[in-house]
Amino acid sequence: IENQEIIEKIKNRYEELKGLSYQDDKFIIYPVPTMSDLIKESEVQNICIRSYNERYANGETNLFFMRNIKKMIDYWRLLLCHF
């Protein structure tokens, strides 16, 4: 069961961090926008990144997706940044 407070905090974190997004002709890097995106990423890549949901929501860490601009539906990389 997802915690509604965490869900809202993750949406707010996206708004805070979206100015750090980057895009060129090959790649796009952007913050994780929603809890459901984080869960899906974790399931598709079979990684434990969803366990960072509270740390991300509370500003203890930053999570960014990195995608090939031509294949946005492909799950490619997730960046965990402490800054």
Side-chain angles (χ1 to χ4, degrees):
I1 299 174
E2 295 175 12
N3 179 320
Q4 191 61 38
E5 180 182 3
I6 297 297
I7 291 169
E8 289 304 313
K9 283 183 170 183
I10 287 175
K11 289 178 186 177
N12 291 337
R13 289 287 290 149
Y14 171 76
E15 290 299 321
E16 291 172 21
L17 297 172
K18 70 181 180 180
L20 298 174
S21 298
Y22 169 81
Q23 182 175 336
D24 64 19
D25 61 331
K26 293 183 183 181
F27 302 104
I28 185 169
I29 299 171
Y30 59 97
V32 171
T34 67
M35 180 67 176
S36 59
D37 290 322
L38 188 58
I39 291 169
K40 188 170 184 177
E41 186 84 13
S42 188
E43 291 171 351
V44 169
Q45 291 202 43
N46 196 28
I47 56 176
C48 66
I49 200 65
R50 82 174 83 188
S51 67
Y52 285 84
N53 65 7
E54 287 186 43
R55 286 175 268 190
Y56 178 55
N58 292 322
E60 298 168 25
T61 193
N62 301 302
L63 300 174
F64 292 84
F65 292 145
M66 181 175 181
R67 301 283 189 258
N68 182 316
I69 201 87
K70 294 179 182 172
K71 300 177 185 176
M72 286 294 289
I73 59 170
D74 289 349
Y75 294 87
W76 198 56
R77 296 282 187 267
L78 187 118
L79 308 172
L80 172 66
C81 308
H82 298 282
F83 57 84

